[in-house]
């Protein structure tokens, strides 16, 4: 099961914080959340992974799809605060080469 | 390949958890809930090992739901097609098995690799499963698919 907290920072950056499992079941909901934000004109998005308890290839695919969606509209997507276990999955699949985890949601677009 | 289905040895092990459910995506969350019960009984298994096993199991399960029943109609999926999942910690390892009555899996596990394109949105599942556990095997017997995963703890 998964839920999403979505809010926008003062800088205009959108934040999606999934809470639960980002598996094949949760991936569709995540993609919908990204589509809604981008459709409303928010093209820079941070995914706060702090409450993601599980990440598999379906979740990774949704994250990569979201990177493409934001870049197509001139923006970008960053990830922040993965747990050690989620970080191990990102490293296992070399996803950290295209999505470098940030320590802070607020500062994710500072560099 | 063998003519007879493998004996359900796992079910004889103390503490084995088993669930049978229709071959739909909802079964993934059901099995992950079952993992939560398994981990609650084995708090000595560290978080990294738990994640490795669960990722491998969910990748295989997702593959079964999406491929073993791809040619079925929706009605047959809900009426007849089922997956039986079993989880146990025994002999110093986590053991997971899946049995389904879908189509034979047409794959060679020895040739599964991560996609060359880092930006690929699919195609990582079984490679991640293979990289995450000590043993992953597939067998077809008696008209059923049998998947078995083992991970030392």
């Amino acid at each position: 099961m998964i839920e999403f907290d979505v809010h926008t920072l003062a800088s205009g950056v959108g934040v999606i914080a999934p809470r639960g499992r980002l598996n094949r079941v949760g991936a569709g909901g995540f993609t919908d959340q990204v589509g809604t934000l981008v459709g409303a004109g928010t093209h820079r998005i941070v995914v706060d992974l702090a409450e993601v308890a599980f990440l598999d290839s379906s979740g990774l695919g949704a994250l990569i799809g979201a990177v493409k969606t934001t870049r197509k509209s001139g923006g970008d997507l960053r990830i922040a605060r993965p747990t050690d276990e989620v970080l191990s999955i990102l490293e296992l699949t070399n996803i950290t080469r295209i999505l470098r985890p940030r320590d802070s949601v607020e500062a994710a677009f500072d560099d | 390949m063998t003519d007879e289905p493998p004996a359900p040895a796992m079910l004889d092990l103390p503490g084995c958890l088993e669930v049978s459910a229709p071959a739909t995506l909802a079964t993934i969350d059901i099995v992950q809930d079952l993992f939560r019960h398994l981990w609650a009984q084995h708090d000595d298994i560290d978080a990294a090992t738990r994640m490795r096993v669960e990722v491998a199991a969910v990748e295989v399960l997702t593959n079964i739901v999406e491929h073993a029943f791809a040619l079925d109609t929706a009605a047959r999926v809900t009426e007849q097609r089922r997956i039986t999942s079993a989880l146990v910690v025994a002999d110093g390892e986590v053991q997971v098995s899946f049995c389904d009555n879908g189509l034979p899996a047409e794959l060679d596990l020895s040739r599964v690799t991560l996609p060359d394109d880092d930006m690929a949105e699919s195609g990582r599942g079984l490679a991640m499963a293979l990289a995450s556990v000590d043993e992953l095997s597939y067998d077809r017997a008696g008209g059923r698919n049998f998947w078995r995963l083992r991970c030392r703890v």
Side-chain angles (χ1 to χ4, degrees), chain A residues 1 21 23-25 53-58 60-61 64-65 67-68 71 85-86 89 92-93 95 97-98, chain B residues 25-26 28-29 32-33 36 47-48 51 54-55 58-59 62 66 114 118-121 124-125 128 131-132:
Chain A
M1 301 298 289
R21 302 169 185 146
N23 58 16
R24 177 67 176 76
V25 183
F54 178 86
L55 178 72
D56 67 1
S57 68
S58 298
L60 289 173
I64 294 167
V67 169
K68 293 177 181 174
R71 288 182 183 172
E85 293 76 40
V86 166
I89 300 301
L92 173 73
T93 50
I95 297 299
R97 290 202 293 232
I98 52 173
Chain B
L25 289 175
I28 295 169
D29 274 330
Q32 290 204 253
D33 287 342
R36 201 169 58 188
M51 181 65 92
E54 202 164 325
V55 162
V58 170
E59 297 297 354
T62 304
E66 295 198 321
L114 285 172
D118 284 346
M119 293 296 280
E121 292 177 50
R124 291 182 182 82
M128 287 171 64
S132 299

Side-chain angles (χ1 to χ4, degrees), chain B residues 31-58:
Chain B
V31 171
Q32 290 204 253
D33 287 342
L34 200 63
F35 266 112
R36 201 169 58 188
H37 288 284
L38 184 75
W39 303 143
Q41 295 167 15
H42 297 278
D43 55 9
D44 53 318
I45 299 177
D46 63 76
T49 301
R50 294 178 184 200
M51 181 65 92
R52 282 171 54 207
V53 173
E54 202 164 325
V55 162
V58 170

